[in-house]
Amino acid sequence: MYNFWKKDYVQPSGVVCHHCRKLFELTSQDVCSAKRIIHHSTTESFVSSIKAGCPICRAILSEVDDPQKLFLYPFLISLTECLIREPMNGSVYDLGFTWKSPGIPKRYRRVLVQRYDLIKQFLPRIPPAADRGWNNQTLEVVKKWMRCCRKEHPNCQALNAWRTAGLDFQPKRLVDIGSDSGRTWRLVLTGNDNIFRSPYVTISHRWSQNQQFKLISETIEAYTADQPVSDLPRIFQDAVQVVKSLGIRYLWVDCLCIIQDSHLDWQRESLEMCKIYTNAICNISITGFEDTSNGFLDQTCRYAPLPCRVQPRWAPSLREGWCILDPFFWWAQVTKAPLTKRGWVFQERFLAPRVVHFGPDQIL
Ligand SMILES: [Zn+2]
Ligand SMILES: [Zn+2]
């Protein structure tokens, strides 16, 4: 993996694809005429860079409607091109990508090249591990975000105090995943169990096509006794792993905490949603995946992220070089993600005091 924390900048070989790398090898004469430069000349080459994990090509892909089409039709895109624009203030270059295709509406995707010395203070000090799944390093980052938000953000504290003012609330049912290394879960009723005011996490997820795993009248009794976690759908097994490693014992998820075949229960509990999400310590959102039948932890974080450092030939030579940034990263990973298109997710995002999004490339 390219180590952009190294003191001496290195060309981002092995992460940024050969076709993108060539853009940084152009001279200022090549780019000054404001002409579009051919980036990929076939769909095939574009797709293979995406599959290899090139962060720039993946950023361009995030602008494509129905990206699956690209993998199915090998001649769909005749070429991708790039326009490198001179900076207004000398510190940021603008790379505008687009494509030619009869079948995909044309859009533009920008990537920025910024002076490294101006942004390094915002970047993490420790390079990410080569395996960026749900490992200790990722866990520590999320824990740090949580700690920081709870203890150091005065606005979050004020907002939370306002949200929960006068509320003495705990959801009617919670899933208890235990506090030890046990691999069982059970449904608890807050009225019966002494868990009042225990922190809990909510889960935002997309129901699968034929969601069979749910609380119904006839499963209540069984679910209040210990059940193996390994019997849960993979998405919930992964969620249990995340919540447990954050040191939280309870979670609330709609399909297990609302009796799905009781109209009355549904009516009652759906009115409590506002309080349920407001009072959670955090919402875990499985944001970036179309299909979660194999869970989400194994699917995330396979690719090296931007930013990475470069010294483009067309930019002034700087001691610490330049950095490639994606200004639309949040938009691509969260705003435009499959889950966010669902209407009811709005309240889950809006009401939760904090949200950990599992995106296709990163945890946000
Ligand atoms: Zn590329
Ligand atoms: Zn905060």
Side-chain angles (χ1 to χ4, degrees):
M1 173 176 191
Y2 172 67
N3 182 357
F4 89 98
W5 282 262
K6 265 169 100 169
K7 269 216 175 93
D8 301 310
Y9 58 80
V10 187
Q11 291 297 329
S13 56
V15 174
V16 172
C17 76
H18 164 72
H19 299 271
C20 291
R21 226 156 50 223
K22 277 203 312 205
L23 297 172
F24 300 101
E25 288 160 11
L26 298 167
T27 64
S28 41
Q29 282 87 356
D30 293 331
V31 302
C32 74
S33 57
K35 69 164 193 259
R36 295 186 186 284
I37 298 143
I38 295 195
H39 170 233
H40 284 284
S41 53
T42 62
T43 309
E44 203 186 6
S45 124
F46 183 38
V47 166
S48 79
S49 290
I50 290 160
K51 285 185 175 164
C54 171
I56 297 176
C57 291
R58 289 175 63 80
I60 304 167
L61 179 74
S62 70
E63 194 68 46
V64 173
D65 295 343
D66 195 6
Q68 288 306 320
K69 254 183 162 178
L70 209 66
F71 300 93
L72 297 173
Y73 305 106
F75 303 106
L76 195 61
I77 278 181
S78 56
L79 58 88
T80 60
E81 51 189 19
C82 174
L83 181 65
I84 301 170
R85 264 184 288 243
E86 296 270 347
M88 301 289 277
N89 55 8
S91 67
V92 188
Y93 284 84
D94 184 312
L95 274 55
F97 291 89
T98 188
W99 55 80
K100 284 190 175 152
S101 161
I104 301 181
K106 191 169 184 164
R107 304 226 198 292
Y108 295 89
R109 182 59 150 86
R110 287 166 66 209
V111 168
L112 303 179
V113 176
Q114 160 88 283
R115 283 175 60 144
Y116 177 73
D117 59 347
L118 296 183
I119 60 149
K120 66 178 175 187
Q121 57 165 317
F122 303 109
L123 300 174
R125 294 217 180 97
I126 308 159
D131 158 33
R132 296 183 307 114
W134 187 248
N135 55 30
N136 266 343
Q137 192 180 13
T138 320
L139 173 62
E140 286 311 315
V141 169
V142 175
K143 278 185 173 171
K144 195 176 142 202
W145 288 343
M146 297 264 286
R147 237 181 357 250
C148 192
C149 184
R150 294 173 71 188
K151 304 233 164 85
E152 291 167 30
H153 294 170
N155 288 348
C156 293
Q157 284 166 350
L159 189 62
N160 199 50
W162 174 76
R163 267 198 278 240
T164 53
L167 270 186
D168 245 352
F169 179 79
Q170 191 81 13
K172 187 174 175 188
R173 304 182 187 93
L174 283 169
V175 175
D176 179 0
I177 57 171
S179 54
D180 49 21
S181 56
R183 298 285 295 158
T184 57
W185 65 275
R186 70 188 176 103
L187 197 65
V188 286
L189 294 173
T190 45
N192 299 347
D193 288 78
N194 189 23
I195 56 164
F196 194 63
R197 280 284 176 210
S198 300
Y200 67 92
V201 159
T202 51
I203 312 278
S204 285
H205 69 110
R206 212 168 141 171
W207 282 53
S208 58
Q209 285 266 289
N210 40 7
Q211 178 106 13
Q212 272 136 7
F213 207 91
K214 55 192 171 195
L215 181 68
I216 49 172
S217 315
E218 59 182 82
T219 50
I220 293 180
E221 210 181 310
Y223 288 177
T224 49
D226 284 349
Q227 298 285 320
V229 169
S230 56
D231 284 358
L232 290 171
R234 276 295 303 274
I235 183 174
F236 296 134
Q237 291 187 36
D238 284 358
V240 166
Q241 192 187 333
V242 169
V243 175
K244 209 166 209 174
S245 56
L246 288 171
I248 297 161
R249 181 168 171 174
Y250 300 98
L251 62 93
W252 188 93
V253 58
D254 52 5
C255 59
L256 288 177
C257 296
I258 302 177
I259 307 169
Q260 299 295 327
D261 61 352
S262 160
H263 187 65
L264 186 67
D265 197 57
W266 217 94
Q267 232 173 11
R268 207 164 35 208
E269 290 305 299
S270 58
L271 291 176
E272 301 284 294
M273 292 292 197
C274 163
K275 295 180 203 162
I276 290 169
Y277 284 95
T278 299
N279 278 272
I281 193 161
C282 173
N283 181 39
I284 305 278
S285 181
I286 322 306
T287 307
F289 308 99
E290 293 282 353
D291 174 18
T292 49
S293 53
N294 292 316
F296 58 92
L297 289 182
D298 282 350
Q299 289 193 59
T300 198
C301 300
R302 284 287 155 82
Y303 302 108
L306 289 176
C308 62
R309 279 166 76 182
V310 283
Q311 176 53 68
R313 277 183 75 193
W314 35 259
S317 177
L318 299 175
R319 195 171 61 82
E320 295 188 287
W322 297 73
C323 210
I324 311 167
L325 298 175
D326 180 357
F328 298 107
F329 185 73
W330 181 272
W331 173 87
Q333 296 268 311
V334 176
T335 314
K336 199 180 177 242
L339 185 74
T340 320
K341 291 179 189 151
R342 299 300 168 112
W344 73 81
V345 173
F346 176 75
Q347 63 170 359
E348 301 172 4
R349 267 182 79 188
F350 183 73
L351 293 166
R354 47 195 78 84
V355 183
V356 178
H357 292 279
F358 284 80
D361 288 7
Q362 280 189 39
I363 294 163
L364 302 97

PDB file of all heavy atoms in Angstrom, residues 16-17 20 39-40 49 54 56-57, ligand 1:
ATOM      1  N   VAL A  16      -2.855   4.426  -7.171  1.00  0.00           N
ATOM      2  CA  VAL A  16      -3.458   5.141  -8.292  1.00  0.00           C
ATOM      3  C   VAL A  16      -3.040   4.403  -9.566  1.00  0.00           C
ATOM      4  O   VAL A  16      -1.875   4.042  -9.736  1.00  0.00           O
ATOM      5  CB  VAL A  16      -2.970   6.608  -8.304  1.00  0.00           C
ATOM      6  CG1 VAL A  16      -3.422   7.316  -9.559  1.00  0.00           C
ATOM      7  CG2 VAL A  16      -3.493   7.338  -7.079  1.00  0.00           C
ATOM      8  N   CYS A  17      -4.000   4.174 -10.453  1.00  0.00           N
ATOM      9  CA  CYS A  17      -3.714   3.334 -11.626  1.00  0.00           C
ATOM     10  C   CYS A  17      -2.770   4.035 -12.611  1.00  0.00           C
ATOM     11  O   CYS A  17      -2.586   5.251 -12.564  1.00  0.00           O
ATOM     12  CB  CYS A  17      -5.009   2.914 -12.316  1.00  0.00           C
ATOM     13  SG  CYS A  17      -5.756   4.221 -13.297  1.00  0.00           S
ATOM     14  N   CYS A  20      -4.250   7.055 -14.479  1.00  0.00           N
ATOM     15  CA  CYS A  20      -4.347   8.279 -13.671  1.00  0.00           C
ATOM     16  C   CYS A  20      -2.958   8.848 -13.421  1.00  0.00           C
ATOM     17  O   CYS A  20      -2.755  10.062 -13.440  1.00  0.00           O
ATOM     18  CB  CYS A  20      -5.040   7.991 -12.345  1.00  0.00           C
ATOM     19  SG  CYS A  20      -6.787   7.618 -12.538  1.00  0.00           S
ATOM     20  N   HIS A  39      -8.096   9.898 -20.831  1.00  0.00           N
ATOM     21  CA  HIS A  39      -7.708   9.259 -19.560  1.00  0.00           C
ATOM     22  C   HIS A  39      -7.763   7.736 -19.747  1.00  0.00           C
ATOM     23  O   HIS A  39      -6.747   7.075 -19.749  1.00  0.00           O
ATOM     24  CB  HIS A  39      -8.670   9.814 -18.488  1.00  0.00           C
ATOM     25  CG  HIS A  39      -8.629   9.136 -17.169  1.00  0.00           C
ATOM     26  ND1 HIS A  39      -9.753   8.644 -16.553  1.00  0.00           N
ATOM     27  CD2 HIS A  39      -7.608   8.880 -16.321  1.00  0.00           C
ATOM     28  CE1 HIS A  39      -9.426   8.118 -15.374  1.00  0.00           C
ATOM     29  NE2 HIS A  39      -8.132   8.251 -15.211  1.00  0.00           N
ATOM     30  N   HIS A  40      -8.947   7.174 -19.956  1.00  0.00           N
ATOM     31  CA  HIS A  40      -9.063   5.768 -20.370  1.00  0.00           C
ATOM     32  C   HIS A  40      -9.624   5.768 -21.785  1.00  0.00           C
ATOM     33  O   HIS A  40     -10.553   6.527 -22.066  1.00  0.00           O
ATOM     34  CB  HIS A  40     -10.033   5.004 -19.462  1.00  0.00           C
ATOM     35  CG  HIS A  40      -9.466   4.661 -18.123  1.00  0.00           C
ATOM     36  ND1 HIS A  40      -8.562   3.641 -17.936  1.00  0.00           N
ATOM     37  CD2 HIS A  40      -9.674   5.214 -16.904  1.00  0.00           C
ATOM     38  CE1 HIS A  40      -8.245   3.572 -16.651  1.00  0.00           C
ATOM     39  NE2 HIS A  40      -8.898   4.524 -15.998  1.00  0.00           N
ATOM     40  N   SER A  49      -9.200  -0.681 -13.834  1.00  0.00           N
ATOM     41  CA  SER A  49      -8.668   0.224 -12.805  1.00  0.00           C
ATOM     42  C   SER A  49      -9.589   0.295 -11.593  1.00  0.00           C
ATOM     43  O   SER A  49      -9.132   0.373 -10.448  1.00  0.00           O
ATOM     44  CB  SER A  49      -8.488   1.638 -13.371  1.00  0.00           C
ATOM     45  OG  SER A  49      -7.446   1.670 -14.298  1.00  0.00           O
ATOM     46  N   CYS A  54      -8.252   1.718  -7.891  1.00  0.00           N
ATOM     47  CA  CYS A  54      -7.730   3.087  -8.083  1.00  0.00           C
ATOM     48  C   CYS A  54      -8.733   4.089  -7.490  1.00  0.00           C
ATOM     49  O   CYS A  54      -9.888   4.141  -7.910  1.00  0.00           O
ATOM     50  CB  CYS A  54      -7.515   3.377  -9.562  1.00  0.00           C
ATOM     51  SG  CYS A  54      -7.139   5.121  -9.848  1.00  0.00           S
ATOM     52  N   ILE A  56      -9.039   7.287  -7.747  1.00  0.00           N
ATOM     53  CA  ILE A  56      -9.538   8.333  -8.658  1.00  0.00           C
ATOM     54  C   ILE A  56     -10.597   7.732  -9.587  1.00  0.00           C
ATOM     55  O   ILE A  56     -11.684   8.294  -9.764  1.00  0.00           O
ATOM     56  CB  ILE A  56      -8.378   8.958  -9.465  1.00  0.00           C
ATOM     57  CG1 ILE A  56      -7.395   9.641  -8.499  1.00  0.00           C
ATOM     58  CG2 ILE A  56      -8.908   9.956 -10.492  1.00  0.00           C
ATOM     59  CD1 ILE A  56      -6.155  10.218  -9.159  1.00  0.00           C
ATOM     60  N   CYS A  57     -10.286   6.568 -10.159  1.00  0.00           N
ATOM     61  CA  CYS A  57     -11.262   5.925 -11.048  1.00  0.00           C
ATOM     62  C   CYS A  57     -12.532   5.553 -10.282  1.00  0.00           C
ATOM     63  O   CYS A  57     -13.641   5.660 -10.810  1.00  0.00           O
ATOM     64  CB  CYS A  57     -10.642   4.708 -11.731  1.00  0.00           C
ATOM     65  SG  CYS A  57      -9.374   5.181 -12.918  1.00  0.00           S
TER      66      CYS A  57
HETATM   67 ZN    ZN B   1      -7.258   5.449 -12.088  1.00  0.00          ZN
END
